[in-house]
Amino acid sequence: MFFKILKKDIKRKKVMNIILLLFLILASTLIGSSLSVFYSTVSAIDYTMDKSNVADLIQLNSDFNEGEEFINNINQLEDPLFDEVIEEPYIVVYDSDIITNKKERTLDQSGIWLSNWLQKIPTRYNKVFDERDRLLVLKRGEIAIPRTTHDRRDINIGDNVQISLNGQKYNFVVAHIVKDVAFGSDMLSVKRYFISDEDYEGIDSKTENANRGYLSSLIAKEGYSDNDLLQQITNMDLVATQGFNFTKSLVSLEYIFNMLIAGIMVMVSIILIAIAFMILRFTILFTLQEEYKEIGIMKAIGIKNRAIRKIYLVKYFFLALLGGGIGLVLSVPLTSLMSTTIEGYLILGDGRLRLLLSTLGVILVIFLTIIFCYRCTGKIRKFSAMDAIRQGSTGERFKGIKRFPSLRKTKMRIPIFLGVSDIFADIRKFLVLTITFILGTVIMIIPINATNTLKSDNMIEMLGLARMDSCIKLSDYDESDVEGFIEDMKNQINEVVPNTDFWADYSINVKLANVSDTKSKRVTGYRSVGKKASEYNYLEGVAPDLENEIAITRRLATYLNVGIGDTVIVSIDGKEHEFIVSALYQTVMNMGDGFRLSEKMGMSMPIPKAFLWACKFNSSNGNISDNIEKLKEAFPAIEFQTTQKFLSSMLGSILDSVDDLIFICLVIIGGVVFLITCLLVKMLLTKEIPEVALLKSLGFRNSSIKTWQISRILIVLLASVILGTIIANTGGNYLIGLVFKMMGADKVMMETKVLQVYVVVPLFLLMITTIAALCSIGQIKKTKIWEINNQD
């Protein structure tokens, strides 16, 4: 008997059951895939680092002589904190010297300021793997390229690559796309290309020291951390004009944005499950209210509460099991799709464990569904046989609407007035829809604000730089008179685009220490040429103006235990200088560590690739893109790039990942809003058949009744979007700020595009909601006048 009742109920409420099933499928799919992706991302970093055997400290010296000096000095330490040092020479190549066999690819080059180098395949530390997670093996004439080169320049396996060095050309065939956990992240500007030992020896013998460098891998002694080792190396005060170092613990932070995106997907899944449970509760309570008669009759003939509840539990267990099973199957390809980016950089490990985690997530959804259903069906105990006679209602509302004006005072159309009246009479009926609209708005706006911020001029300032309209790549300049070259170049640019500002930021890597020398750190900072230090943004203090003044980041100041007015010791060109800290600023580069010197500070600037050239147009000179095109025509040997391309080069695949996240959120939220609107409208309309029949008997047309039904949904939508927008632009921006703070930014300047946030998002939800409502009110036309008493 129970199964006959169950079968009849499923058929009779086909639409509601299908929508509920779809929600359970969607929730199971997302929780299964997102848990798997989050676990894969977090575990893959440690797993790949272990397999790669990443060194505790990695020291890079792009100047070969400095690299040799570094090795000689650390070998003379009396009490070294390392057990072993592995020296790996490499050959520096420029991006423009790597040419493919397809001409159209060389036009775009990648636009990335990368330090590329050729290297033998490492065998002990910082090992690398091919695209199939195998240790990299290369034959003569083959080359393995980093994932960044594959993505940005569209170079694939089987393509021919020509590398130019010292007038010599070397041809290779791309054999593999390498997974290099230590240097593979897009947040690191160093990329390694690998060739066979034979090819490397042949090229190295013809390469001058100016194009050679050293990679040193240090392994800390037992009982000492990588930070202890870093401090000892920093205290040595070795000259490293062209290089930097980083510890093993910092490698995992290179992939923080990948972990963040995976974490966001888990949060979206949890929110979706919460929505599914709210819908489940609403559906169960609605079903119980609609079936007062059946439940009362069953009680009248002696069926116990437990047996009646069993009918509903069996039904929802069947739906949960079916939805969970389908969701588990769908989570497999979705997991594969969501893992595509991270799988290109890291080894994901055992796929069976990820599948097990997905399965456990789906089982948890099924279990929680049954528990939730059991609690929601507890209301059956309060029903009596008398409810079967009254069908759960006396036909009276019992509760008026306080402080709600009459129809005459509002001057509303009657259908709109009825919709507003329904909302104020019983807002709980629309609670699920309200929460869904609010969450949907928040989930869409937060990643949109994040991506707009990452692509905005605000992001350039958070990098510790000045706002610019174009970033420029050039290498030919007068080393003996950089300021004179900039002034001359500025004049030439102004002949093409008047009133254009042109300047350069020269990056140097130096040791900073407090006066007591108890704490020191090797940091990369800037000295501007052609632009005053006062034209950059600072959090507090005054921009460095005198030669002995310096601005440092707040994070570095905390590490060195210094503040504004304190003195720090900086080693520049092999000499120690005392600087007074005049200001604090922020940057998300180098994990928040940086400094800026006064433009009056005298120093040598011999390294072409250490310059970041930029220009900014006057606002009265028209479109930025048109100005860039004019400069490209006037200076064909110089590459002028947009700030978008510059940010893309600095942030790598992060921007693409956030864009993908926005698309996924739009699809999910669009589907959720559509299904919930359909479900709610269907359920309310089913309950309100007598009211619809009554309105028809009074002469209301179908169009007016449809307006009544749709108006209340759209009113709820409008209120929810307003509230959701406020939450997203306050609490959401706070959450985004926490992420940037991890990278070193204390003050995040969010970029909110009014058109997207206040027009596009509401219109998107309005379109989805309206379509869903129109698809769900077909029953109005079929309702007859004699159904006033809800008679069949």
Side-chain angles (χ1 to χ4, degrees), residues 433-434 436-445 665-666 668-674 677 713-714 716-718 720-722 724-725 756-757 759-773:
L433 196 62
T434 303
T436 303
F437 285 151
I438 292 174
L439 293 177
T441 304
V442 170
I443 292 172
M444 285 193 292
I445 289 178
C665 288
L666 286 176
I668 292 174
I669 296 304
V672 168
V673 169
F674 183 86
T677 304
I713 303 297
L714 297 184
V716 170
L717 171 66
L718 178 61
S720 302
V721 167
I722 293 173
T725 303
Q756 288 183 347
V757 173
V759 178
V760 175
V761 170
L763 285 179
F764 173 77
L765 292 174
L766 177 64
M767 179 186 69
I768 296 295
T769 304
T770 304
I771 293 173

Short mmCIF file of all heavy atoms in Angstrom, two decimals, residues 433-434 436-445 665-666 668-674 677 713-714 716-718 720-722 724-725 756-757 759-773:
data_model
loop_
_atom_site.label_atom_id
_atom_site.label_comp_id
_atom_site.label_asym_id
_atom_site.label_seq_id
_atom_site.Cartn_x
_atom_site.Cartn_y
_atom_site.Cartn_z
N LEU A 433 12.71 32.03 -1.51
CA LEU A 433 13.02 32.78 -2.72
C LEU A 433 13.86 34.02 -2.39
O LEU A 433 14.81 34.35 -3.13
CB LEU A 433 11.71 33.21 -3.40
CG LEU A 433 11.82 33.66 -4.86
CD1 LEU A 433 12.32 32.54 -5.74
CD2 LEU A 433 10.48 34.18 -5.36
N THR A 434 13.53 34.69 -1.31
CA THR A 434 14.29 35.88 -0.91
C THR A 434 15.74 35.54 -0.62
O THR A 434 16.67 36.20 -1.10
CB THR A 434 13.66 36.52 0.34
OG1 THR A 434 12.29 36.84 0.06
CG2 THR A 434 14.40 37.78 0.75
N THR A 436 17.42 32.96 -1.64
CA THR A 436 18.08 32.54 -2.88
C THR A 436 18.50 33.72 -3.72
O THR A 436 19.62 33.77 -4.24
CB THR A 436 17.14 31.63 -3.69
OG1 THR A 436 16.75 30.51 -2.88
CG2 THR A 436 17.83 31.12 -4.94
N PHE A 437 17.61 34.69 -3.87
CA PHE A 437 17.94 35.89 -4.65
C PHE A 437 19.10 36.65 -4.02
O PHE A 437 19.99 37.14 -4.73
CB PHE A 437 16.72 36.80 -4.77
CG PHE A 437 15.67 36.30 -5.73
CD1 PHE A 437 14.33 36.63 -5.55
CD2 PHE A 437 16.02 35.51 -6.82
CE1 PHE A 437 13.36 36.18 -6.44
CE2 PHE A 437 15.05 35.07 -7.71
CZ PHE A 437 13.73 35.39 -7.52
N ILE A 438 19.08 36.77 -2.69
CA ILE A 438 20.16 37.50 -2.01
C ILE A 438 21.50 36.79 -2.21
O ILE A 438 22.50 37.41 -2.59
CB ILE A 438 19.85 37.64 -0.50
CG1 ILE A 438 18.66 38.58 -0.28
CG2 ILE A 438 21.07 38.16 0.25
CD1 ILE A 438 18.20 38.65 1.15
N LEU A 439 21.52 35.49 -1.95
CA LEU A 439 22.76 34.72 -2.12
C LEU A 439 23.23 34.73 -3.56
O LEU A 439 24.43 34.83 -3.84
CB LEU A 439 22.56 33.28 -1.62
CG LEU A 439 22.33 33.11 -0.12
CD1 LEU A 439 22.07 31.65 0.22
CD2 LEU A 439 23.54 33.61 0.67
N GLY A 440 22.28 34.61 -4.49
CA GLY A 440 22.64 34.63 -5.91
C GLY A 440 23.29 35.94 -6.30
O GLY A 440 24.30 35.97 -7.02
N THR A 441 22.73 37.04 -5.80
CA THR A 441 23.30 38.36 -6.09
C THR A 441 24.70 38.48 -5.51
O THR A 441 25.63 38.96 -6.17
CB THR A 441 22.39 39.46 -5.51
OG1 THR A 441 21.07 39.32 -6.03
CG2 THR A 441 22.92 40.84 -5.88
N VAL A 442 24.86 38.03 -4.28
CA VAL A 442 26.17 38.12 -3.61
C VAL A 442 27.21 37.28 -4.34
O VAL A 442 28.34 37.73 -4.60
CB VAL A 442 26.05 37.67 -2.14
CG1 VAL A 442 27.42 37.53 -1.50
CG2 VAL A 442 25.20 38.66 -1.35
N ILE A 443 26.83 36.04 -4.69
CA ILE A 443 27.78 35.12 -5.34
C ILE A 443 28.21 35.64 -6.70
O ILE A 443 29.34 35.41 -7.14
CB ILE A 443 27.15 33.72 -5.45
CG1 ILE A 443 27.00 33.09 -4.06
CG2 ILE A 443 27.99 32.81 -6.34
CD1 ILE A 443 26.23 31.79 -4.06
N MET A 444 27.34 36.35 -7.39
CA MET A 444 27.71 36.90 -8.69
C MET A 444 28.55 38.17 -8.57
O MET A 444 29.52 38.36 -9.32
CB MET A 444 26.45 37.18 -9.52
CG MET A 444 25.79 35.94 -10.08
SD MET A 444 24.54 36.31 -11.33
CE MET A 444 23.31 37.11 -10.32
N ILE A 445 28.20 39.04 -7.64
CA ILE A 445 28.86 40.34 -7.55
C ILE A 445 30.29 40.22 -7.00
O ILE A 445 31.20 40.92 -7.48
CB ILE A 445 28.03 41.32 -6.71
CG1 ILE A 445 26.76 41.71 -7.48
CG2 ILE A 445 28.83 42.57 -6.35
CD1 ILE A 445 25.83 42.63 -6.71
N CYS A 665 29.61 30.58 -11.85
CA CYS A 665 28.62 31.15 -10.91
C CYS A 665 27.37 31.62 -11.63
O CYS A 665 26.25 31.42 -11.14
CB CYS A 665 29.25 32.30 -10.13
SG CYS A 665 30.46 31.80 -8.89
N LEU A 666 27.54 32.25 -12.79
CA LEU A 666 26.38 32.71 -13.56
C LEU A 666 25.50 31.54 -13.97
O LEU A 666 24.27 31.60 -13.88
CB LEU A 666 26.84 33.48 -14.79
CG LEU A 666 27.40 34.89 -14.56
CD1 LEU A 666 27.90 35.48 -15.87
CD2 LEU A 666 26.35 35.79 -13.94
N ILE A 668 25.35 28.50 -12.56
CA ILE A 668 24.75 27.86 -11.38
C ILE A 668 23.61 28.71 -10.83
O ILE A 668 22.49 28.22 -10.59
CB ILE A 668 25.83 27.62 -10.30
CG1 ILE A 668 26.82 26.55 -10.77
CG2 ILE A 668 25.17 27.18 -8.99
CD1 ILE A 668 27.99 26.36 -9.83
N ILE A 669 23.88 30.00 -10.62
CA ILE A 669 22.87 30.88 -10.05
C ILE A 669 21.68 31.01 -10.99
O ILE A 669 20.52 31.02 -10.55
CB ILE A 669 23.46 32.26 -9.73
CG1 ILE A 669 24.54 32.11 -8.65
CG2 ILE A 669 22.37 33.21 -9.26
CD1 ILE A 669 24.07 31.45 -7.37
N GLY A 670 21.94 31.11 -12.29
CA GLY A 670 20.85 31.19 -13.25
C GLY A 670 19.95 29.97 -13.17
O GLY A 670 18.72 30.07 -13.15
N GLY A 671 20.57 28.78 -13.10
CA GLY A 671 19.79 27.55 -13.00
C GLY A 671 19.03 27.45 -11.69
O GLY A 671 17.86 27.05 -11.67
N VAL A 672 19.69 27.83 -10.58
CA VAL A 672 19.04 27.77 -9.26
C VAL A 672 17.85 28.71 -9.19
O VAL A 672 16.76 28.33 -8.73
CB VAL A 672 20.07 28.11 -8.16
CG1 VAL A 672 19.36 28.33 -6.82
CG2 VAL A 672 21.10 27.00 -8.02
N VAL A 673 18.03 29.95 -9.64
CA VAL A 673 16.94 30.93 -9.61
C VAL A 673 15.77 30.47 -10.47
O VAL A 673 14.60 30.58 -10.07
CB VAL A 673 17.44 32.31 -10.08
CG1 VAL A 673 16.28 33.27 -10.32
CG2 VAL A 673 18.40 32.91 -9.04
N PHE A 674 16.07 29.93 -11.64
CA PHE A 674 15.01 29.45 -12.53
C PHE A 674 14.21 28.33 -11.86
O PHE A 674 12.97 28.35 -11.85
CB PHE A 674 15.62 28.95 -13.84
CG PHE A 674 14.60 28.50 -14.85
CD1 PHE A 674 14.02 29.40 -15.73
CD2 PHE A 674 14.22 27.17 -14.92
CE1 PHE A 674 13.07 28.99 -16.65
CE2 PHE A 674 13.27 26.74 -15.84
CZ PHE A 674 12.70 27.66 -16.71
N THR A 677 12.20 29.56 -8.70
CA THR A 677 11.05 30.37 -9.10
C THR A 677 9.94 29.49 -9.66
O THR A 677 8.76 29.67 -9.31
CB THR A 677 11.46 31.42 -10.15
OG1 THR A 677 12.54 32.22 -9.62
CG2 THR A 677 10.30 32.34 -10.49
N ILE A 713 6.59 38.04 -7.19
CA ILE A 713 7.92 37.44 -7.36
C ILE A 713 8.94 38.53 -7.71
O ILE A 713 10.05 38.56 -7.17
CB ILE A 713 7.90 36.36 -8.45
CG1 ILE A 713 6.86 35.28 -8.13
CG2 ILE A 713 9.28 35.74 -8.62
CD1 ILE A 713 7.13 34.52 -6.86
N LEU A 714 8.56 39.42 -8.61
CA LEU A 714 9.48 40.47 -9.03
C LEU A 714 9.73 41.49 -7.92
O LEU A 714 10.83 42.05 -7.82
CB LEU A 714 8.95 41.17 -10.28
CG LEU A 714 8.79 40.29 -11.53
CD1 LEU A 714 8.36 41.12 -12.73
CD2 LEU A 714 10.10 39.56 -11.84
N VAL A 716 9.76 40.75 -4.70
CA VAL A 716 10.73 40.05 -3.83
C VAL A 716 12.13 40.11 -4.45
O VAL A 716 13.12 40.33 -3.75
CB VAL A 716 10.29 38.58 -3.62
CG1 VAL A 716 11.39 37.78 -2.93
CG2 VAL A 716 9.01 38.53 -2.79
N LEU A 717 12.20 39.92 -5.76
CA LEU A 717 13.48 39.98 -6.46
C LEU A 717 14.13 41.35 -6.28
O LEU A 717 15.33 41.45 -5.97
CB LEU A 717 13.29 39.68 -7.95
CG LEU A 717 14.51 39.92 -8.85
CD1 LEU A 717 15.62 38.95 -8.49
CD2 LEU A 717 14.14 39.78 -10.32
N LEU A 718 13.37 42.41 -6.49
CA LEU A 718 13.90 43.77 -6.39
C LEU A 718 14.47 44.03 -4.99
O LEU A 718 15.59 44.53 -4.85
CB LEU A 718 12.81 44.78 -6.72
CG LEU A 718 13.21 46.27 -6.61
CD1 LEU A 718 14.32 46.59 -7.58
CD2 LEU A 718 12.00 47.16 -6.85
N SER A 720 15.41 41.83 -2.77
CA SER A 720 16.53 40.93 -2.51
C SER A 720 17.80 41.39 -3.21
O SER A 720 18.90 41.32 -2.65
CB SER A 720 16.18 39.51 -2.96
OG SER A 720 15.03 39.04 -2.31
N VAL A 721 17.67 41.87 -4.45
CA VAL A 721 18.84 42.35 -5.20
C VAL A 721 19.45 43.56 -4.51
O VAL A 721 20.68 43.69 -4.41
CB VAL A 721 18.45 42.68 -6.66
CG1 VAL A 721 19.56 43.48 -7.34
CG2 VAL A 721 18.18 41.40 -7.44
N ILE A 722 18.61 44.46 -4.01
CA ILE A 722 19.12 45.64 -3.30
C ILE A 722 19.90 45.22 -2.06
O ILE A 722 21.02 45.68 -1.81
CB ILE A 722 17.95 46.58 -2.91
CG1 ILE A 722 17.33 47.18 -4.18
CG2 ILE A 722 18.44 47.67 -1.97
CD1 ILE A 722 16.07 47.98 -3.91
N GLY A 724 21.15 42.18 -1.43
CA GLY A 724 22.31 41.39 -1.84
C GLY A 724 23.45 42.25 -2.33
O GLY A 724 24.63 41.98 -2.06
N THR A 725 23.12 43.34 -3.06
CA THR A 725 24.15 44.26 -3.56
C THR A 725 24.86 44.95 -2.41
O THR A 725 26.09 45.12 -2.42
CB THR A 725 23.53 45.29 -4.51
OG1 THR A 725 22.86 44.61 -5.58
CG2 THR A 725 24.58 46.21 -5.08
N GLN A 756 27.83 47.03 -14.48
CA GLN A 756 27.78 45.58 -14.26
C GLN A 756 27.03 45.23 -12.99
O GLN A 756 26.16 44.36 -12.99
CB GLN A 756 29.20 45.01 -14.19
CG GLN A 756 29.92 44.95 -15.52
CD GLN A 756 31.28 44.31 -15.39
OE1 GLN A 756 31.79 44.10 -14.30
NE2 GLN A 756 31.88 43.96 -16.52
N VAL A 757 27.37 45.91 -11.90
CA VAL A 757 26.84 45.56 -10.58
C VAL A 757 25.39 45.99 -10.40
O VAL A 757 24.57 45.24 -9.86
CB VAL A 757 27.73 46.16 -9.47
CG1 VAL A 757 27.10 45.95 -8.10
CG2 VAL A 757 29.12 45.54 -9.51
N VAL A 759 23.24 47.19 -12.90
CA VAL A 759 22.35 47.06 -14.05
C VAL A 759 22.36 45.64 -14.62
O VAL A 759 21.32 44.99 -14.71
CB VAL A 759 22.72 48.07 -15.17
CG1 VAL A 759 21.80 47.89 -16.38
CG2 VAL A 759 22.63 49.50 -14.65
N VAL A 760 23.54 45.14 -14.98
CA VAL A 760 23.63 43.84 -15.66
C VAL A 760 23.17 42.70 -14.76
O VAL A 760 22.35 41.86 -15.16
CB VAL A 760 25.06 43.59 -16.16
CG1 VAL A 760 25.17 42.19 -16.77
CG2 VAL A 760 25.45 44.63 -17.21
N VAL A 761 23.68 42.66 -13.52
CA VAL A 761 23.30 41.58 -12.60
C VAL A 761 21.80 41.58 -12.30
O VAL A 761 21.14 40.54 -12.42
CB VAL A 761 24.14 41.65 -11.30
CG1 VAL A 761 23.58 40.68 -10.25
CG2 VAL A 761 25.59 41.32 -11.58
N PRO A 762 21.21 42.73 -11.91
CA PRO A 762 19.75 42.73 -11.69
C PRO A 762 18.95 42.34 -12.94
O PRO A 762 17.96 41.61 -12.84
CB PRO A 762 19.45 44.18 -11.28
CG PRO A 762 20.72 44.68 -10.70
CD PRO A 762 21.79 44.03 -11.51
N LEU A 763 19.37 42.84 -14.12
CA LEU A 763 18.66 42.49 -15.34
C LEU A 763 18.77 41.00 -15.66
O LEU A 763 17.82 40.39 -16.15
CB LEU A 763 19.19 43.31 -16.52
CG LEU A 763 18.76 44.79 -16.57
CD1 LEU A 763 19.38 45.48 -17.77
CD2 LEU A 763 17.23 44.90 -16.62
N PHE A 764 19.93 40.42 -15.37
CA PHE A 764 20.12 38.97 -15.57
C PHE A 764 19.15 38.19 -14.69
O PHE A 764 18.46 37.26 -15.16
CB PHE A 764 21.56 38.59 -15.26
CG PHE A 764 21.83 37.11 -15.28
CD1 PHE A 764 21.95 36.43 -16.48
CD2 PHE A 764 21.95 36.38 -14.09
CE1 PHE A 764 22.20 35.06 -16.51
CE2 PHE A 764 22.19 35.03 -14.10
CZ PHE A 764 22.31 34.36 -15.32
N LEU A 765 19.09 38.53 -13.41
CA LEU A 765 18.16 37.85 -12.50
C LEU A 765 16.71 38.12 -12.88
O LEU A 765 15.85 37.23 -12.78
CB LEU A 765 18.42 38.30 -11.06
CG LEU A 765 19.75 37.84 -10.44
CD1 LEU A 765 19.95 38.48 -9.08
CD2 LEU A 765 19.80 36.32 -10.33
N LEU A 766 16.42 39.35 -13.30
CA LEU A 766 15.06 39.69 -13.72
C LEU A 766 14.64 38.85 -14.92
O LEU A 766 13.51 38.35 -14.96
CB LEU A 766 14.99 41.18 -14.06
CG LEU A 766 13.64 41.69 -14.60
CD1 LEU A 766 12.57 41.56 -13.54
CD2 LEU A 766 13.76 43.14 -15.07
N MET A 767 15.53 38.69 -15.89
CA MET A 767 15.21 37.91 -17.08
C MET A 767 14.95 36.44 -16.72
O MET A 767 13.94 35.86 -17.15
CB MET A 767 16.37 38.00 -18.08
CG MET A 767 16.16 37.20 -19.36
SD MET A 767 17.62 37.22 -20.41
CE MET A 767 18.76 36.23 -19.42
N ILE A 768 15.83 35.86 -15.91
CA ILE A 768 15.67 34.46 -15.51
C ILE A 768 14.38 34.27 -14.73
O ILE A 768 13.61 33.32 -14.97
CB ILE A 768 16.88 34.00 -14.67
CG1 ILE A 768 18.17 34.04 -15.48
CG2 ILE A 768 16.65 32.60 -14.13
CD1 ILE A 768 18.23 33.08 -16.63
N THR A 769 14.13 35.18 -13.78
CA THR A 769 12.94 35.06 -12.93
C THR A 769 11.66 35.21 -13.74
O THR A 769 10.69 34.45 -13.55
CB THR A 769 12.99 36.13 -11.82
OG1 THR A 769 14.21 35.99 -11.10
CG2 THR A 769 11.82 35.96 -10.86
N THR A 770 11.64 36.18 -14.63
CA THR A 770 10.44 36.41 -15.45
C THR A 770 10.14 35.22 -16.34
O THR A 770 8.99 34.77 -16.45
CB THR A 770 10.62 37.68 -16.31
OG1 THR A 770 10.93 38.78 -15.46
CG2 THR A 770 9.35 37.98 -17.08
N ILE A 771 11.17 34.68 -16.98
CA ILE A 771 10.98 33.50 -17.84
C ILE A 771 10.46 32.33 -17.03
O ILE A 771 9.54 31.61 -17.44
CB ILE A 771 12.31 33.14 -18.55
CG1 ILE A 771 12.69 34.23 -19.54
CG2 ILE A 771 12.17 31.80 -19.27
CD1 ILE A 771 14.06 34.03 -20.16
N ALA A 772 11.04 32.12 -15.84
CA ALA A 772 10.61 31.02 -14.99
C ALA A 772 9.16 31.18 -14.55
O ALA A 772 8.37 30.22 -14.56
CB ALA A 772 11.52 30.92 -13.77
N ALA A 773 8.79 32.40 -14.16
CA ALA A 773 7.42 32.65 -13.72
C ALA A 773 6.43 32.44 -14.87
O ALA A 773 5.36 31.84 -14.67
CB ALA A 773 7.31 34.07 -13.17
#
